[in-house]
Amino acid sequence: MLTKASLARVFIGLAVYIACAFPLFALGLLSRDVRIGLFRKYMQGAAFPTIPSLLLTFSPIDGWSYITPIALAVAAGCAVSKSVRLTTAVLIFSGAVIQLFMFAAAFIPYKKLTNIIGYPEPGPYPTMQLVINVIMVVGSMILAVLSVKRLIALAKD
């Protein structure tokens, strides 16, 4: 049976997952559109905005890249102490859901406007983006394993 502390861990983990997964998903689709050259004909010599161009190197490049938000959610859920109230965790989760709706409201029109027919041929991944994705996945997995081990050690005491 789930206790209040374990429910708080679940809500915090879900909040972290929502807060990380959808922005990474949107960034991954933007990165794909940039890689296939979708914006070249619309930009016409104008510089791509600075913040998105910096964040594109951190965008997921394939399905395995989405392990990062899952591992971060597990790590955050395990890191929650017993002193977190269930109502606080539910409020944090509600804030993450509101953020999800805001991102979706901004992103859905973009995706409909930039939708192309068919799928582009998969090309080689950009090296820097591949290295960063591997580091993010491995780092978040290590963090999740350490958090789970810590939680198990605390539960035994």
Side-chain angles (χ1 to χ4, degrees):
M1 182 168 156
L2 290 175
T3 63
K4 285 186 179 181
S6 59
L7 276 175
R9 286 186 176 102
V10 168
F11 278 115
I12 295 294
L14 286 173
V16 168
Y17 177 75
I18 289 171
C20 294
F22 194 78
L24 282 176
F25 175 72
L27 199 57
L29 290 176
L30 175 65
S31 173
R32 188 205 65 187
D33 291 345
V34 167
R35 270 198 325 252
I36 64 172
L38 186 65
F39 293 106
R40 265 189 237 132
K41 81 178 191 183
Y42 300 113
M43 299 290 287
Q44 296 179 357
F48 199 70
T50 306
I51 293 175
S53 61
L54 290 174
L55 292 176
L56 284 180
T57 56
F58 295 98
S59 65
I61 54 176
D62 212 344
W64 56 267
S65 302
Y66 292 99
I67 293 172
T68 300
I70 296 169
L72 289 175
V74 169
C78 290
V80 171
S81 67
K82 292 180 182 178
S83 63
V84 174
R85 299 172 112 187
L86 182 59
T87 53
T88 305
V90 170
L91 286 174
I92 292 171
F93 174 72
S94 301
V97 169
I98 291 170
Q99 175 197 352
L100 173 67
F101 287 137
M102 290 169 44
F103 268 113
F107 185 73
I108 289 171
Y110 156 79
K111 194 58 195 155
K112 285 185 178 181
L113 288 172
T114 59
N115 201 7
I116 58 174
I117 296 174
Y119 293 96
E121 287 291 320
Y125 300 131
T127 307
M128 180 59 83
Q129 200 170 354
L130 179 63
V131 169
I132 288 174
N133 270 261
V134 169
I135 289 170
M136 285 176 25
V137 167
V138 170
S140 63
M141 291 296 291
I142 290 170
L143 182 64
V145 168
L146 292 175
S147 296
V148 169
K149 280 185 173 182
R150 182 182 149 272
L151 183 66
I152 290 171
L154 288 174
K156 286 182 180 179
D157 292 337

